[in-house]
Amino acid sequence: MKTKKILILGGVTEGYILAEELASREPFHPISSLAGRTQHPRPPVGETRIGGFGGVEGLHAFLLERAIDAVVDATHPFADTMGQHAALACDQAKVPLLRLERPAWMPQPGDCWHPVADWEQAVAFLQIQGARRVLLALGARELAPFSTLFDTWFLLRTVTQPDPMPPFTAAELLVARGPFTLEQELELLRRHEIDTIVCRNSGGEGAAAKLAAARELGIAVIMRERPQRPSLPSVATVAGALDWLCDQPG
Ligand SMILES: NC(=O)c1ccc[n+]([C@@H]2O[C@H](COP(=O)([O-])OP(=O)(O)OC[C@H]3O[C@@H](n4cnc5c(N)ncnc54)[C@H](OP(=O)(O)O)[C@@H]3O)[C@@H](O)[C@H]2O)c1
């Protein structure tokens, strides 16, 4: 049986699981691609390449050089540049492309969510709302726009150390990697008397406890919505991606 080379654009857990599954199945040969942002990334099972391709042209060239049979875009919901590049390059190279993306969180009864399209809208909303004590549950590189709010106290929860640290007037930094339990989130929100949470709609179980805690405590959530992605075949699970790959001709 002819080997099928599958390029996995990775960056989140689902990409790792898909690589592991494909590596143990005939006729697949997974090639995982990581952006190279993390210093010592966990190596995926199977062949791995690290670093950008050099835009749409670079990815197009890679698809042809390596005779890739199909691509799975398993990048983070907010990694939309890579998603756009993959759609253009695969279209040009006539290589089938699948989007593997965990579903977005949906508000539930009792939630007090305010959707925003970008951080500028979130800053404006915090000002209008008169938020006093805010949890920013964001990436370390996304904090800066909020440091312009001088009358608000911030709890900055990031996975990595912000470098440089934006010049907040009043803030406490908490570098911590989830998942967090509901009890941990309730304790944190109560201890710091948080009145508003700012986060992105990443989806998944690992980061959802803060939303349940906000619901229980009646805390407002400013939720950044996901960027638009190209219209593509899309699945929410690794099992769905495996089915799609098995159905591809060739
Ligand atoms: N954005 C987030 O919040 C977030 C959270 C968790 C994990 N991640 C992961 O971290 C990576 C970078 O995120 P980002 O938001 O900077 O992405 P992005 O804005 O969509 O991509 C910027 C550039 O990084 C390179 N790149 C991104 N993903 C790549 C991959 N899997 N393999 C090879 N090159 C890649 C591409 O460079 P070239 O144009 O040179 O090809 C791309 O144009 C992504 O793989 C993503 O899944 C992101």
Side-chain angles (χ1 to χ4, degrees), residues 67-93:
I68 298 295
D69 292 289
V71 177
V72 179
D73 173 7
T75 54
H76 189 272
F78 284 83
D80 53 321
T81 304
M82 191 68 250
Q84 307 284 351
H85 288 186
L88 289 167
C90 286
D91 185 49
Q92 287 169 16

mmCIF file of all heavy atoms in Angstrom, residues 67-93:
data_model
loop_
_atom_site.group_PDB
_atom_site.id
_atom_site.type_symbol
_atom_site.label_atom_id
_atom_site.label_comp_id
_atom_site.label_asym_id
_atom_site.label_seq_id
_atom_site.Cartn_x
_atom_site.Cartn_y
_atom_site.Cartn_z
ATOM 1 N N ALA A 67 5.874 15.833 -1.248
ATOM 2 C CA ALA A 67 4.741 15.062 -1.823
ATOM 3 C C ALA A 67 3.701 14.730 -0.751
ATOM 4 O O ALA A 67 3.336 13.566 -0.532
ATOM 5 C CB ALA A 67 5.253 13.798 -2.498
ATOM 6 N N ILE A 68 3.239 15.794 -0.082
ATOM 7 C CA ILE A 68 2.260 15.630 1.008
ATOM 8 C C ILE A 68 0.900 15.240 0.411
ATOM 9 O O ILE A 68 0.440 15.836 -0.566
ATOM 10 C CB ILE A 68 2.139 16.946 1.811
ATOM 11 C CG1 ILE A 68 3.476 17.331 2.468
ATOM 12 C CG2 ILE A 68 1.005 16.870 2.850
ATOM 13 C CD1 ILE A 68 3.988 16.391 3.520
ATOM 14 N N ASP A 69 0.255 14.233 1.003
ATOM 15 C CA ASP A 69 -1.037 13.752 0.493
ATOM 16 C C ASP A 69 -2.220 14.501 1.098
ATOM 17 O O ASP A 69 -3.268 14.609 0.466
ATOM 18 C CB ASP A 69 -1.188 12.257 0.798
ATOM 19 C CG ASP A 69 -0.188 11.438 -0.008
ATOM 20 O OD1 ASP A 69 -0.379 11.351 -1.230
ATOM 21 O OD2 ASP A 69 0.789 10.928 0.571
ATOM 22 N N ALA A 70 -2.088 14.953 2.336
ATOM 23 C CA ALA A 70 -3.182 15.706 2.974
ATOM 24 C C ALA A 70 -2.594 16.514 4.134
ATOM 25 O O ALA A 70 -1.552 16.146 4.698
ATOM 26 C CB ALA A 70 -4.261 14.761 3.493
ATOM 27 N N VAL A 71 -3.286 17.605 4.458
ATOM 28 C CA VAL A 71 -2.841 18.465 5.565
ATOM 29 C C VAL A 71 -3.971 18.557 6.589
ATOM 30 O O VAL A 71 -5.148 18.680 6.214
ATOM 31 C CB VAL A 71 -2.495 19.894 5.055
ATOM 32 C CG1 VAL A 71 -2.093 20.804 6.224
ATOM 33 C CG2 VAL A 71 -1.384 19.838 4.020
ATOM 34 N N VAL A 72 -3.607 18.485 7.865
ATOM 35 C CA VAL A 72 -4.575 18.739 8.932
ATOM 36 C C VAL A 72 -4.106 19.979 9.683
ATOM 37 O O VAL A 72 -3.010 19.995 10.250
ATOM 38 C CB VAL A 72 -4.693 17.537 9.902
ATOM 39 C CG1 VAL A 72 -5.686 17.866 11.008
ATOM 40 C CG2 VAL A 72 -5.127 16.283 9.150
ATOM 41 N N ASP A 73 -4.937 21.011 9.631
ATOM 42 C CA ASP A 73 -4.632 22.242 10.368
ATOM 43 C C ASP A 73 -5.172 22.080 11.789
ATOM 44 O O ASP A 73 -6.366 22.240 12.035
ATOM 45 C CB ASP A 73 -5.278 23.449 9.668
ATOM 46 C CG ASP A 73 -5.142 24.732 10.479
ATOM 47 O OD1 ASP A 73 -4.437 24.715 11.509
ATOM 48 O OD2 ASP A 73 -5.753 25.751 10.084
ATOM 49 N N ALA A 74 -4.259 21.713 12.697
ATOM 50 C CA ALA A 74 -4.647 21.526 14.102
ATOM 51 C C ALA A 74 -4.054 22.644 14.951
ATOM 52 O O ALA A 74 -3.741 22.443 16.123
ATOM 53 C CB ALA A 74 -4.169 20.164 14.595
ATOM 54 N N THR A 75 -3.885 23.818 14.362
ATOM 55 C CA THR A 75 -3.336 24.938 15.130
ATOM 56 C C THR A 75 -4.402 25.493 16.078
ATOM 57 O O THR A 75 -5.594 25.213 15.932
ATOM 58 C CB THR A 75 -2.831 26.069 14.207
ATOM 59 O OG1 THR A 75 -3.884 26.459 13.330
ATOM 60 C CG2 THR A 75 -1.619 25.639 13.401
ATOM 61 N N HIS A 76 -3.943 26.283 17.033
ATOM 62 C CA HIS A 76 -4.826 26.883 18.034
ATOM 63 C C HIS A 76 -5.884 27.763 17.352
ATOM 64 O O HIS A 76 -5.595 28.375 16.311
ATOM 65 C CB HIS A 76 -3.948 27.727 18.979
ATOM 66 C CG HIS A 76 -4.667 28.236 20.171
ATOM 67 N ND1 HIS A 76 -5.343 29.436 20.162
ATOM 68 C CD2 HIS A 76 -4.820 27.717 21.409
ATOM 69 C CE1 HIS A 76 -5.877 29.630 21.359
ATOM 70 N NE2 HIS A 76 -5.575 28.603 22.133
ATOM 71 N N PRO A 77 -7.099 27.841 17.919
ATOM 72 C CA PRO A 77 -8.150 28.660 17.286
ATOM 73 C C PRO A 77 -7.720 30.104 17.003
ATOM 74 O O PRO A 77 -8.256 30.743 16.088
ATOM 75 C CB PRO A 77 -9.287 28.637 18.314
ATOM 76 C CG PRO A 77 -9.070 27.394 19.098
ATOM 77 C CD PRO A 77 -7.593 27.131 19.118
ATOM 78 N N PHE A 78 -6.766 30.626 17.779
ATOM 79 C CA PHE A 78 -6.355 32.021 17.555
ATOM 80 C C PHE A 78 -5.095 32.128 16.682
ATOM 81 O O PHE A 78 -4.599 33.230 16.469
ATOM 82 C CB PHE A 78 -6.176 32.732 18.901
ATOM 83 C CG PHE A 78 -7.508 33.084 19.527
ATOM 84 C CD1 PHE A 78 -8.222 32.146 20.256
ATOM 85 C CD2 PHE A 78 -8.088 34.335 19.326
ATOM 86 C CE1 PHE A 78 -9.463 32.441 20.796
ATOM 87 C CE2 PHE A 78 -9.330 34.649 19.857
ATOM 88 C CZ PHE A 78 -10.026 33.694 20.590
ATOM 89 N N ALA A 79 -4.615 31.011 16.170
ATOM 90 C CA ALA A 79 -3.452 31.044 15.250
ATOM 91 C C ALA A 79 -4.000 31.148 13.829
ATOM 92 O O ALA A 79 -3.847 30.238 13.016
ATOM 93 C CB ALA A 79 -2.601 29.803 15.444
ATOM 94 N N ASP A 80 -4.639 32.253 13.518
ATOM 95 C CA ASP A 80 -5.391 32.334 12.257
ATOM 96 C C ASP A 80 -4.516 32.620 11.041
ATOM 97 O O ASP A 80 -4.902 32.306 9.916
ATOM 98 C CB ASP A 80 -6.535 33.343 12.358
ATOM 99 C CG ASP A 80 -6.082 34.703 12.826
ATOM 100 O OD1 ASP A 80 -5.216 34.761 13.709
ATOM 101 O OD2 ASP A 80 -6.597 35.705 12.313
ATOM 102 N N THR A 81 -3.316 33.180 11.243
ATOM 103 C CA THR A 81 -2.448 33.431 10.077
ATOM 104 C C THR A 81 -2.042 32.101 9.439
ATOM 105 O O THR A 81 -2.119 31.919 8.222
ATOM 106 C CB THR A 81 -1.186 34.215 10.504
ATOM 107 O OG1 THR A 81 -1.596 35.404 11.144
ATOM 108 C CG2 THR A 81 -0.326 34.566 9.301
ATOM 109 N N MET A 82 -1.634 31.163 10.293
ATOM 110 C CA MET A 82 -1.237 29.845 9.771
ATOM 111 C C MET A 82 -2.412 29.202 9.049
ATOM 112 O O MET A 82 -2.243 28.568 8.004
ATOM 113 C CB MET A 82 -0.756 28.963 10.934
ATOM 114 C CG MET A 82 -0.079 27.685 10.497
ATOM 115 S SD MET A 82 1.494 27.921 9.674
ATOM 116 C CE MET A 82 1.132 27.481 7.996
ATOM 117 N N GLY A 83 -3.611 29.385 9.601
ATOM 118 C CA GLY A 83 -4.811 28.821 8.977
ATOM 119 C C GLY A 83 -5.058 29.391 7.585
ATOM 120 O O GLY A 83 -5.378 28.652 6.645
ATOM 121 N N GLN A 84 -4.875 30.717 7.455
ATOM 122 C CA GLN A 84 -5.074 31.354 6.134
ATOM 123 C C GLN A 84 -4.016 30.848 5.157
ATOM 124 O O GLN A 84 -4.318 30.550 4.004
ATOM 125 C CB GLN A 84 -4.925 32.889 6.238
ATOM 126 C CG GLN A 84 -5.782 33.571 7.307
ATOM 127 C CD GLN A 84 -7.232 33.690 6.883
ATOM 128 O OE1 GLN A 84 -7.573 33.420 5.742
ATOM 129 N NE2 GLN A 84 -8.100 34.065 7.813
ATOM 130 N N HIS A 85 -2.780 30.773 5.628
ATOM 131 C CA HIS A 85 -1.685 30.318 4.752
ATOM 132 C C HIS A 85 -1.935 28.882 4.282
ATOM 133 O O HIS A 85 -1.716 28.554 3.114
ATOM 134 C CB HIS A 85 -0.343 30.383 5.494
ATOM 135 C CG HIS A 85 0.137 31.784 5.708
ATOM 136 N ND1 HIS A 85 1.359 32.072 6.249
ATOM 137 C CD2 HIS A 85 -0.447 32.980 5.459
ATOM 138 C CE1 HIS A 85 1.510 33.389 6.326
ATOM 139 N NE2 HIS A 85 0.429 33.955 5.855
ATOM 140 N N ALA A 86 -2.385 28.045 5.206
ATOM 141 C CA ALA A 86 -2.621 26.636 4.847
ATOM 142 C C ALA A 86 -3.700 26.538 3.775
ATOM 143 O O ALA A 86 -3.572 25.777 2.813
ATOM 144 C CB ALA A 86 -3.025 25.852 6.090
ATOM 145 N N ALA A 87 -4.768 27.341 3.927
ATOM 146 C CA ALA A 87 -5.870 27.274 2.958
ATOM 147 C C ALA A 87 -5.373 27.675 1.566
ATOM 148 O O ALA A 87 -5.683 27.014 0.567
ATOM 149 C CB ALA A 87 -7.008 28.183 3.414
ATOM 150 N N LEU A 88 -4.581 28.734 1.491
ATOM 151 C CA LEU A 88 -4.098 29.209 0.184
ATOM 152 C C LEU A 88 -3.109 28.221 -0.428
ATOM 153 O O LEU A 88 -3.208 27.862 -1.607
ATOM 154 C CB LEU A 88 -3.434 30.585 0.346
ATOM 155 C CG LEU A 88 -4.406 31.741 0.648
ATOM 156 C CD1 LEU A 88 -3.640 32.973 1.097
ATOM 157 C CD2 LEU A 88 -5.255 32.044 -0.580
ATOM 158 N N ALA A 89 -2.160 27.759 0.385
ATOM 159 C CA ALA A 89 -1.121 26.868 -0.144
ATOM 160 C C ALA A 89 -1.718 25.529 -0.588
ATOM 161 O O ALA A 89 -1.347 24.997 -1.638
ATOM 162 C CB ALA A 89 -0.037 26.643 0.916
ATOM 163 N N CYS A 90 -2.646 24.990 0.190
ATOM 164 C CA CYS A 90 -3.241 23.688 -0.171
ATOM 165 C C CYS A 90 -4.100 23.833 -1.420
ATOM 166 O O CYS A 90 -4.123 22.941 -2.267
ATOM 167 C CB CYS A 90 -4.077 23.155 0.993
ATOM 168 S SG CYS A 90 -3.054 22.550 2.331
ATOM 169 N N ASP A 91 -4.779 24.963 -1.537
ATOM 170 C CA ASP A 91 -5.597 25.194 -2.728
ATOM 171 C C ASP A 91 -4.692 25.224 -3.973
ATOM 172 O O ASP A 91 -4.983 24.569 -4.973
ATOM 173 C CB ASP A 91 -6.347 26.522 -2.549
ATOM 174 C CG ASP A 91 -7.309 26.764 -3.691
ATOM 175 O OD1 ASP A 91 -8.072 25.834 -3.992
ATOM 176 O OD2 ASP A 91 -7.261 27.851 -4.299
ATOM 177 N N GLN A 92 -3.586 25.949 -3.864
ATOM 178 C CA GLN A 92 -2.662 26.050 -5.015
ATOM 179 C C GLN A 92 -2.032 24.699 -5.354
ATOM 180 O O GLN A 92 -1.848 24.361 -6.522
ATOM 181 C CB GLN A 92 -1.544 27.043 -4.702
ATOM 182 C CG GLN A 92 -2.001 28.492 -4.723
ATOM 183 C CD GLN A 92 -0.933 29.426 -4.134
ATOM 184 O OE1 GLN A 92 0.230 29.049 -3.993
ATOM 185 N NE2 GLN A 92 -1.340 30.636 -3.781
ATOM 186 N N ALA A 93 -1.695 23.927 -4.319
ATOM 187 C CA ALA A 93 -1.010 22.650 -4.551
ATOM 188 C C ALA A 93 -1.997 21.501 -4.764
ATOM 189 O O ALA A 93 -1.568 20.361 -4.973
ATOM 190 C CB ALA A 93 -0.095 22.341 -3.362
#
